[in-house]
Amino acid sequence: MRVVFPEGFYFGSATSATQCEGGTEGDERGKNIWDLWYEEESFKFHGNIGPEITSSFYENYREDVRLMKETGHNSFRTSISWSRLFPQGRGEMNQKAADFYRSLFQELRDQGIEPFVNLYHFDMPVAMQELGGWESRRVVDYYKEYARTCFELFGDLVSHWFTFNEPIVHVECGYLSGYHYPCKVDPKAAVLVAYHTALASALAVREYHSLNQGGKIGIVLNLTPAYPRSSHPEDEKAARIAELFQNKSFLDPAVKGTYDPELVEMIREQGLLPQAETEDLEIIRQNLVDFLGVNYYHPFRVCAKAHVPNPMAPFTPEYYFDIYDMPGKRMNPYRGWEIYPRGLYDIAINLRDNYGNIEWMVTENGMGVENEGRFKEDGIIQDDYRIEFYKEHLTWLHKGIQEGSRCVGYHVWTFIDCWSWLNAYKNRYGLVELDLETQKRTIKKSGYWYGELLKHNGFE
Ligand code: BGP
């Protein structure tokens, strides 16, 4: 069986500024919340490794773009670091940062690699966090100004933009569970942050469209399809509610300009509904994305709640459902995530049938593995498990495309092993291995396989 993708399909990989760039003395970048958190509580980061050096992409990008060519990239996603470009989040711009990004995007173009550029990947500038971060309506406006500056500075080189990466993550991790700075447990703030983020995204879309640069702008969402334990009506209800919080909370405003009334009602019932200005709701309603990025790693299995929730405990969406631990599920034990390639097909069909068959692409899919050095033979990591993982996901994606879903690309996470937030360098995802000590790059077996994938626009 041959799996062949449509002509012009985008193959490539994704990374983000904080996870790969690092920096140099005198690069004049400002700090973001990850720099700050690491200074305050470095013990929380695996192996005590922080974001200062990561994969030294800031210095090595030229060499790295050449490696992209070798590993089958016709496209690549990264993000701009807001605090690198504006050390204070606004006001004076760091010219060195502007030069770096221009030169990177130019280099990609020169090598025939289409840049996909994201404006925000979990990395709030410290100066903006001090103003309240996403809890603050002012910060939403500063983000809008930052976004506009990016379009003006780089819009001649970049024609695919994303406003945010996985916005539900900074909501949940930053304001419900303590896995991202500012580590608050404050459901009311979480809802406000979610709403402000959707508004900020719509404002960036509006700015971009007003400049008529001819490209496209979207948002990257981690869509984790919710599956019920059984067909019992209460299990099915649990899945529907999980879907509302996990997926529809950002998908609906971005693609349809609306919020699902059932979700709004539940949030109201919990006393968490923010004060929304009519004008702001109108901005969300009118400024829809042109296309969608979808990150997919694992499904979400849920069931009806077994116990009445503690009425004193701070609200989380799990007030309405339990996580279902399905017997025999296939696991990536290093990351603790279930592997379920068919999920990608279900996403494709959902977008086709319920979201106007919007154009979309897979913006992340991948497998993080711990201690990969043990798979090294003849100096190359033999990551056959990763090749299998990609093949299975691509096969299901392909089926979705054949059935009419408008998916235009597939990006793996990630290009070179990168720094993964609290997990730092524990799990490696790259097509290219990084030696942390020497920063030497070595293409893995999957990297060579990916090169062949692009050449044949598919695989056997
Ligand atoms: C996604 C993020 C990425 C990346 C990836 C892998 O949620 O967009 O930034 O980190 O997940 O997950 P992790 O790094 O937590 O293993």
Side-chain angles (χ1 to χ4, degrees):
M1 192 186 75
R2 286 207 71 201
V3 176
V4 181
F5 286 84
E7 198 61 31
F9 200 72
Y10 290 115
F11 283 111
S13 66
T15 188
S16 84
T18 305
Q19 293 179 271
C20 75
E21 285 177 2
T24 51
E25 274 297 302
D27 63 9
E28 289 167 27
R29 74 191 195 279
K31 285 182 184 165
N32 70 35
I33 50 177
W34 295 93
D35 302 302
L36 175 68
W37 196 13
Y38 182 66
E39 278 171 18
E40 289 178 357
E41 298 187 299
S42 68
F43 65 91
K44 286 193 175 164
F45 294 77
H46 185 84
N48 251 287
I49 298 174
E52 321 96 312
I53 300 172
T54 61
S55 312
S56 56
F57 187 66
Y58 184 76
E59 280 186 282
N60 282 297
Y61 68 96
R62 281 180 204 281
E63 180 203 328
D64 290 342
V65 172
R66 273 194 293 279
L67 275 178
M68 287 177 203
K69 285 299 279 182
E70 272 184 77
T71 51
H73 287 65
N74 63 14
S75 49
F76 173 66
R77 172 169 69 107
T78 189
S79 65
I80 292 174
S81 159
W82 183 356
S83 61
R84 182 186 288 284
L85 193 61
F86 286 103
Q88 293 306 313
R90 64 194 170 114
E92 204 179 328
M93 188 182 83
N94 171 8
Q95 190 55 46
K96 288 182 181 166
D99 295 345
F100 162 65
Y101 288 116
R102 265 206 84 76
S103 164
L104 165 64
F105 302 147
Q106 186 66 60
E107 186 71 23
L108 287 164
R109 283 234 160 281
D110 292 348
Q111 297 296 329
I113 297 171
E114 177 72 21
F116 285 74
V117 178
N118 172 33
L119 294 168
Y120 187 88
H121 199 123
F122 310 162
D123 53 350
M124 182 62 81
V126 170
M128 295 284 105
Q129 192 63 46
E130 284 167 356
L131 297 179
W134 292 119
E135 286 178 71
S136 155
R137 179 65 182 78
R138 265 167 78 202
V139 169
V140 172
D141 279 328
Y142 295 138
Y143 165 85
K144 178 191 75 179
E145 285 160 26
Y146 150 69
R148 190 179 175 95
T149 308
C150 291
F151 306 142
E152 287 169 346
L153 286 174
F154 313 120
D156 57 329
L157 297 172
V158 177
S159 52
H160 289 92
W161 293 92
F162 291 112
T163 58
F164 282 88
N165 178 78
E166 300 190 353
I168 193 83
V169 171
H170 66 248
V171 174
E172 284 187 328
C173 295
Y175 295 86
L176 293 176
S177 67
Y179 289 108
H180 280 199
Y181 205 82
C183 312
K184 287 191 182 177
V185 176
D186 183 344
K188 211 167 177 142
V191 176
L192 184 64
V193 162
Y195 165 62
H196 277 163
T197 305
L199 176 61
S201 177
L203 280 166
V205 169
R206 187 177 77 181
E207 292 304 304
Y208 185 64
H209 287 157
S210 75
L211 290 168
N212 280 316
Q213 292 182 334
K216 290 180 182 176
I217 187 159
I219 188 166
V220 173
L221 301 178
N222 47 323
L223 298 183
T224 46
Y227 299 101
R229 169 182 56 184
S230 77
S231 59
H232 188 285
E234 288 303 312
D235 282 348
E236 287 189 340
K237 184 174 167 200
R240 199 181 72 246
I241 295 179
E243 192 64 39
L244 284 174
F245 279 98
Q246 194 62 39
N247 301 322
K248 294 185 72 145
S249 52
F250 280 100
L251 190 53
D252 284 7
V255 179
K256 298 178 171 171
T258 55
Y259 283 100
D260 191 293
E262 196 182 352
L263 177 65
V264 175
E265 210 25 65
M266 281 186 287
I267 288 174
R268 191 196 312 277
E269 201 178 272
Q270 297 292 339
L272 302 174
L273 210 59
Q275 191 70 36
E277 300 297 328
T278 318
E279 279 165 58
D280 286 346
L281 287 171
E282 202 47 30
I283 290 168
I284 293 177
R285 203 177 65 77
Q286 286 183 9
N287 296 285
L288 309 182
V289 293
D290 304 319
F291 76 131
L292 204 64
V294 176
N295 295 351
Y296 176 68
Y297 290 90
H298 57 83
F300 195 30
R301 300 202 186 269
V302 296
C303 57
K305 279 210 86 71
H307 305 286
V308 175
N310 171 3
M312 306 306 281
F315 174 80
T316 72
E318 282 163 42
Y319 178 89
Y320 293 105
F321 53 82
D322 280 348
I323 305 289
Y324 173 51
D325 186 7
M326 185 177 81
K329 64 185 175 189
R330 200 174 139 197
M331 291 295 290
N332 169 355
Y334 316 104
R335 189 58 179 81
W337 282 342
E338 181 183 344
I339 299 176
Y340 185 64
R342 191 199 151 109
L344 215 39
Y345 169 78
D346 292 338
I347 290 170
I349 298 307
N350 180 32
L351 295 178
R352 184 194 71 184
D353 293 349
N354 301 314
Y355 290 90
N357 205 8
I358 188 170
E359 184 179 301
W360 67 288
M361 65 187 283
V362 176
T363 34
E364 286 182 32
N365 178 227
M367 189 182 177
V369 172
E370 198 169 354
N371 190 13
E372 269 201 318
R374 71 197 136 124
F375 299 111
K376 215 169 207 177
E377 272 171 41
D378 304 325
I380 292 180
I381 289 178
Q382 307 290 323
D383 52 347
D384 295 271
Y385 43 85
R386 183 167 289 115
I387 297 172
E388 273 316 300
F389 180 98
Y390 292 153
K391 276 186 175 172
E392 287 183 66
H393 283 82
L394 281 166
T395 304
W396 279 107
L397 178 64
H398 182 256
K399 182 170 156 60
I401 295 171
Q402 286 209 307
E403 292 177 21
S405 190
R406 289 209 296 143
C407 178
V408 298
Y410 175 82
H411 282 178
V412 299
W413 185 268
T414 184
F415 167 46
I416 297 177
D417 291 336
C418 69
W419 184 80
S420 276
W421 317 113
L422 290 183
N423 274 335
Y425 278 93
K426 174 178 170 285
N427 300 317
R428 304 300 185 99
Y429 285 85
L431 295 168
V432 178
E433 176 199 359
L434 177 77
D435 181 324
L436 253 193
E437 294 290 297
T438 60
Q439 291 284 317
K440 183 169 176 261
R441 284 98 157 108
T442 311
I443 299 179
K444 300 180 193 175
K445 186 172 177 184
S446 62
Y448 291 108
W449 177 81
Y450 212 63
E452 291 300 307
L453 177 73
L454 178 70
K455 248 186 243 160
H456 304 290
N457 205 25
F459 60 93
E460 206 64 53

